[in-house]
Amino acid sequence: MSDAVTTVQRAGLLVRVKGVVQGVGFRPFVHRLAMRHSLDGWVRNRSDGVEIAIEGDHAELDAFVLELRAEAPPLARIDNLDTEVRSPNEPSGFRIIRSDDVSGQRQPVAPDVVLCDECERELRDPTNRRYRYPFITCTDCGPRYSVIERMPYDRERTSMRAFTLCSACQLEYDTPGDRRYHSETNSCAQCGPRLQLLTLRGRECWDEAALGEAARLLLNGAILALRGLGGFHLAVDATNEAAVLRLRRAKHRDAKPFAVMVRTLAEAREIADFDTAEADLIMSRERPIVVVQQRAGTQIARSVAPDLTSVGVMLAYTPMHHLLLDLVRRPLVMTSGNASDEPICAASAEALIKLRDIVDAFLVHNREIVARVDDSVMRVADQHPLFLRRARGFAPLPVRLPISATRPILAVGAHLKNTITVAQDCDAYVSPHIGDLDTLETLQHFRAVVDRIARLHRIEPQAIAHDMHPGYVSTAEAKRMGAPQLIAVQHHHAHIAAVCAEHEVTEPVIGVAFDGTGYGEDGTVWGAELLIADLVRYERVGHLRAVPLPGGELAVRTPWRSAMGYLSRDWAMEPAFARAFAGVPARELELARRQTERGLNAPLASSMGRLFDAAAAVLGVRQTTRFEGQAAMQLEALAGDYAARPLPFPSYVESGRRVLDPLPLLQALGESYARGASQASLAAAFHESVAQATVRVVREIGAERGISVVALGGGTFQNARLLGSLVKRLEAVQLRVLTPRALPANDGAISYGQAAVAAVRLALVSN
C-alpha cells in the first residue's frame, strides 16, 4: 500500500532555462537544489541554455522550480524558464551529464569574472593548497569570455583544456557540494597555468620567484608588461614620476590619462574622493576603471593624469594582481599593453615582439587568451553609472532589442571607438571595445571579433548595417563582406536609436545628438543635431550653426582652428578671440584664414565637440591637443561644480530648422576673461549656457510636434557636468529624458543603434 502511494505521488518535469546560465556555476547549483529536495534526474548545458530533467514528489518539484529562479547564483541571469510535464522514471539519483550541442541554437556567453571572496581567502591562507596560487578560480569567478572557444561551456571548449586536472582537482570537480564541482577553469599549482618572468637580458624565473622579481623591478622604476585576463597591461609604480614619464615617452602617449590599480577601496580612497555611487561602482563584481575626482595631496605622480582633476582607478580583479600589489604595497599604473593605436597584445609571443622597445621585463603565463578584451571604463554622471568603454566584465552580454530581428544582423559600427553587434530575435550581442580603425592591426582585430562574436552566438548575418560615411573603414568592410542586404544608418540617428532601443522606446522622440563629427546627408559635417527620430527614420529639425573647419581633420587636434572657424563668421569679434591665437605662427593663422574665406579644405561643421574646442581656445585653456577630447575634458575639469549663470546663446530659424548660434557665447567668454573673470567660472558658465540653450530649443520643438520624450546620445554626453545640468533642466519642465545606461554615450554604442534601426526596418519589410 505504501509503495503504491509513493508511485502515484511521483511526478516529472523537463525544465529549460535560458539566459546567462553557463560559466556561472548554474549546473552545480541545480545539483545542490535537487539534493535539498530529494529529487532525481539530470542537468546539462545545451547550446541555448541549461536543460533539467527532474523527478520526485509534487510538492518538492514545485519548491525546486520556485527556488531555481529565486536562489540562482549571483552571476546568473535567467531570461526564460519553461517547464513541461514528463513521465517519471525509477529513482536513480541526480547527476550532471554531458552537454548537448544543438545546431542553430545560442545563448549568452558569460564575461570574465572578478576573483571571489572565497578564493581570495584561500589565496591568503597558508594552510590552503592554493596559497598564493596566481590562477585560483572556482564556479563563481575567473576567466570566461577570454578563454571560451565555443559553446556550450565545457573545459574541452576552452583554452583550459591544455591543463589536465591533477587527482586533487579532479576530486573537487567530481564532488557534489564542492565549490569547484564542475568548475571548468579549475586548477592548482600542480596541474594549472604557471607564471614566468622574462627580462630583456635573457633572465627568467618562475612562479613565486617571478612575482618577487616583478615587484622588485617595479619598485626600482622599471616598466613591466603583465599578461592579465584579456591581454597585456603595462605597469609602473604610480607614485614614481620618473617612471610614469618614461612610460609616456616609450609608449608615445604624451598626455592621455593612465588608470591606476590598487588592492582595496580604502587604498582607492587615498587617491580619490568616492561618493556612495562611485564606491559601489568600483566594488562591483565587474571591477571597471572608475573615473573619479582626485584627492588633493595624493602621492600619485602628476603625470598619471596631467592637467586633469580626475583619475581612473580600479581594484585588483585577478589573483595575480592581488599578489603583485601585496608585494609592492603601492598603486600601480595599469594601462593597455599595446603599441600606439594598436589593439592590446594577447599572446606572449606577440608582446615579446611589439612591446620589447617599451618595457624592461615581461610577466607572462601559459593560459592562452582566446579573445583579447580591454578593461571597462565608467564614471558616475546624473547620479547613474555611465560607460566610457564597455568591455571586460560586461561584454558580450546581450542588450535587448525592443523589436525582434526577423533576419540575422551584423552591425559594423563607427570608425572611432568601434564595436560590432550581431543580433537575432530580441538579443543584440555587442562586442567588447575594439578601438579606432586607423591601423592594419586594428582592422585585423575588427575582423577577428566579427568572426568570433558571430561564431560564438551561432549567427550567420543576412543583413549588414553600417554608417553612411563612405570613407569609414567599417563601411568598406560591410561592403566587402557581401551580405545579401546592406542597410545604411546615419551616424547621429544611430546614436539616438541606441538610447531609445535600450529603453524600449519605439515612438518618436526629440533626439539630442552631441558629439565630435559625423557624416551629414547634406554634405556637411554634423555633430550637434536635434532630430525627431524613431527606430525607422529621422528628421533634422535643429542644429548648431555650421562654420568652416580650416584644415579639416587637423582642427580636431588644434582647437584654435575651431575658434578661427567661428570667428570667420564675424571678423569684428577678433579682440574677444585674441587668446585663442596667442603664440600661433602668423603664417599658420593666415593660411587658416584664407581657407575659411575661400572654402578650401575647410568643411562646414555643426559639431558640439568643436564648439567645446573653440571655447577652450578662447579661454586660453588649450590651443592644441594631444589626444581626442583633451580640451573638452580640461574644460569640464575647470568647471567642476562651480555655480554659474548662463551667457547669451541665441537661436534662430533657418529653412524650417532651429539653429543655435554660439558666436555671442564665445564673444562673451573672451570678453569676460579679458575683464578678469576666472577660467573656472567661465568654463562653468559655458556648460550652463549649452544646457540652457538646448532646453529652450527642445521645448520649442516639443511644443510644436507634441513630443515630450527626449533622448540624449553622442560622445559629448560623457561630460558629467553637461549631462547632469541638461537632465535636471529638462526634467524641471516635465520632459521625460532617456540617457545611455547599458552602453556608452560615445561611438561605442553606434553598432547597437545600427542593429536596432536595421531590425525595425527589416520587420516592416517582412510585414
Side-chain angles (χ1 to χ4, degrees), residues 223-228 230-235 247 251 253 258 334-347 350-352 354-355 358-359 362 372-375 389:
I223 302 173
L224 181 71
L226 183 151
R227 194 184 195 200
F232 275 82
H233 282 121
L234 299 177
L247 176 59
K251 201 180 177 190
R253 183 166 166 167
F258 288 137
M334 286 281 180
T335 190
S336 299
N338 57 357
S340 182
D341 299 323
E342 293 186 7
I344 59 170
C345 294
E350 174 191 22
L352 288 169
K354 292 187 174 182
L355 303 180
I358 298 176
V359 307
F362 298 83
R372 65 188 91 206
V373 56
D374 285 280
D375 295 313
R389 182 171 73 197

Side-chain angles (χ1 to χ4, degrees), residues 289-565:
I289 298 169
V290 181
V291 178
V292 284
Q293 195 70 15
Q294 193 170 166
R295 291 190 63 183
T298 177
Q299 293 185 345
I300 294 296
R302 179 186 173 278
S303 293
V304 168
D307 300 319
L308 296 175
T309 58
S310 60
V311 63
V313 186
M314 62 177 155
L315 300 186
Y317 55 86
T318 72
M320 180 170 57
H321 291 139
H322 279 278
L323 294 174
L324 189 59
L325 286 163
D326 282 346
L327 293 173
V328 298
R329 293 281 170 175
R330 62 188 62 180
L332 295 177
V333 164
M334 286 281 180
T335 190
S336 299
N338 57 357
S340 182
D341 299 323
E342 293 186 7
I344 59 170
C345 294
S348 296
E350 174 191 22
L352 288 169
I353 295 171
K354 292 187 174 182
L355 303 180
R356 66 177 297 108
D357 293 332
I358 298 176
V359 307
D360 301 297
F362 298 83
L363 184 62
V364 300
H365 59 74
N366 59 340
R367 182 183 67 208
E368 289 309 310
I369 296 171
V370 177
R372 65 188 91 206
V373 56
D374 285 280
D375 295 313
S376 292
V377 185
M378 304 182 76
R379 70 181 306 183
V380 173
D382 180 35
Q383 301 178 336
H384 295 282
L386 176 70
F387 280 104
L388 306 182
R389 182 171 73 197
R390 182 180 183 265
R392 177 187 51 77
F394 298 95
L397 290 177
V399 182
R400 297 284 288 176
L401 291 171
I403 294 179
S404 179
T406 56
R407 298 172 64 187
I409 295 168
L410 165 66
V412 296
H415 184 80
L416 302 179
K417 297 179 176 63
N418 180 268
T419 63
I420 65 101
T421 295
V422 293
Q424 190 162 356
D425 302 324
C426 285
D427 288 321
Y429 302 93
V430 185
S431 75
H433 168 84
I434 294 172
D436 300 348
L437 302 181
D438 288 330
T439 64
L440 176 60
E441 290 80 6
T442 309
L443 174 58
Q444 292 170 338
H445 179 38
F446 166 90
R447 291 172 176 170
V449 173
V450 169
D451 176 70
R452 173 172 170 77
I453 296 294
R455 181 166 35 84
L456 267 181
H457 299 100
R458 303 178 181 214
I459 294 175
E460 296 183 12
Q462 296 176 17
I464 299 181
H466 62 88
D467 198 279
M468 280 185 167
H469 198 305
Y472 277 3
V473 170
S474 55
T475 301
E477 285 295 294
K479 295 176 179 178
R480 182 189 66 83
M481 292 174 193
Q485 188 168 2
L486 292 177
I487 301 171
V489 182
Q490 200 279 330
H491 188 88
H492 300 96
H493 185 204
H495 269 307
I496 301 306
V499 180
C500 291
E502 72 155 283
H503 288 277
E504 299 189 346
V505 171
T506 56
E507 68 268 19
V509 303
I510 303 170
V512 181
F514 287 173
D515 66 0
T517 58
Y519 183 78
E521 286 192 88
D522 61 357
T524 66
V525 176
W526 292 4
E529 312 308 314
L530 299 170
L531 311 175
I532 301 295
D534 57 21
L535 296 182
V536 180
R537 60 188 65 84
Y538 73 94
E539 177 189 355
R540 191 187 192 210
V541 294
H543 55 85
L544 200 62
R545 182 177 181 179
V547 298
L549 283 183
E553 285 296 315
L554 186 59
V556 175
R557 291 297 179 93
T558 47
W560 68 264
R561 293 177 185 274
S562 294
M564 176 72 77

Side-chain angles (χ1 to χ4, degrees), residues 1-276:
M1 178 73 75
S2 174
D3 289 343
V5 171
T6 301
T7 302
V8 170
Q9 289 181 336
R10 190 171 175 81
L13 289 176
L14 187 65
V15 183
R16 292 190 176 93
V17 188
K18 295 184 178 181
V20 185
V21 289
Q22 292 188 28
V24 293
F26 200 82
R27 289 174 301 168
F29 156 70
V30 170
H31 192 285
R32 293 192 297 270
L33 195 58
M35 293 296 95
R36 181 195 305 173
H37 292 286
S38 302
L39 298 172
D40 301 302
W42 48 260
V43 60
R44 66 182 175 186
N45 281 342
R46 281 170 46 105
S47 305
D48 58 350
V50 168
E51 187 174 50
I52 309 162
I54 196 79
E55 303 167 4
D57 179 82
H58 269 293
E60 297 296 341
L61 282 175
D62 290 342
F64 172 88
V65 173
L66 287 173
E67 292 168 14
L68 194 65
R69 187 184 290 275
E71 299 180 16
L75 299 176
R77 190 188 77 196
I78 296 177
D79 295 331
N80 291 290
L81 193 157
D82 297 320
T83 63
E84 64 179 73
V85 176
R86 71 191 299 265
S87 299
N89 297 310
E90 292 298 318
S92 58
F94 194 91
R95 66 195 189 279
I96 295 175
I97 67 172
R98 186 177 181 84
S99 297
D100 186 19
D101 191 352
V102 182
S103 177
Q105 298 297 311
R106 73 194 59 82
Q107 69 115 27
V109 179
D112 299 311
V113 184
V114 64
L115 180 71
C116 71
D117 292 342
E118 283 297 316
C119 281
E120 186 176 350
R121 276 191 283 272
E122 292 178 351
L123 183 72
R124 303 186 188 286
D125 180 2
T127 66
N128 191 279
R129 73 185 188 91
R130 290 187 176 87
Y131 175 59
R132 297 187 61 77
Y133 176 55
F135 305 98
I136 187 171
T137 181
C138 70
T139 54
D140 294 330
C141 67
R144 298 293 191 269
Y145 172 72
S146 64
V147 298
I148 292 173
E149 294 174 343
R150 63 191 189 280
M151 299 293 280
Y153 175 62
D154 291 297
R155 191 180 183 98
E156 71 247 27
R157 298 183 183 92
T158 75
S159 60
M160 286 299 295
R161 72 176 183 276
F163 305 96
T164 302
L165 292 172
C166 67
S167 58
C169 287
Q170 188 68 53
L171 181 63
E172 294 169 332
Y173 185 90
D174 293 335
T175 302
D178 194 287
R179 201 172 86 256
R180 294 185 172 88
Y181 181 43
H182 275 265
S183 172
E184 308 301 351
T185 54
N186 196 27
S187 67
C188 71
Q190 300 303 312
C191 64
R194 297 184 65 188
L195 277 184
Q196 181 185 22
L197 185 123
L198 302 166
T199 69
L200 296 180
R201 297 180 179 178
R203 181 186 174 190
E204 65 178 79
C205 48
W206 295 82
D207 305 322
E208 191 66 36
L211 277 170
E213 180 63 10
R216 186 190 70 80
L217 288 167
L218 288 167
L219 292 172
N220 287 327
I223 302 173
L224 181 71
L226 183 151
R227 194 184 195 200
L229 202 59
F232 275 82
H233 282 121
L234 299 177
V236 296
D237 177 358
T239 68
N240 186 330
E241 177 74 11
V244 177
L245 285 173
R246 183 167 165 253
L247 176 59
R248 287 202 175 279
R249 288 192 296 269
K251 201 180 177 190
H252 305 292
R253 183 166 166 167
D254 293 339
K256 193 173 183 179
F258 288 137
V260 173
M261 179 181 280
V262 295
R263 294 180 301 167
T264 65
L265 179 59
E267 291 181 0
R269 290 189 188 279
E270 294 176 6
I271 296 170
D273 294 317
F274 287 80
D275 63 21
T276 301

Side-chain angles (χ1 to χ4, degrees), residues 647-690:
L647 296 169
F649 196 166
S651 61
Y652 56 89
V653 177
E654 182 179 82
S655 302
R657 300 190 187 104
R658 282 173 171 77
V659 181
L660 286 160
D661 183 6
L663 261 114
L665 170 59
L666 294 171
Q667 181 181 25
L669 288 174
E671 290 175 349
S672 297
Y673 191 43
R675 290 194 297 267
S678 69
Q679 282 183 329
S681 66
L682 293 173
F686 172 76
H687 283 78
E688 294 307 307
S689 303
V690 172

Side-chain angles (χ1 to χ4, degrees), residues 706-720:
I707 298 175
S708 60
V709 181
V710 183
L712 309 180
T716 300
F717 290 118
Q718 296 175 130
N719 183 313

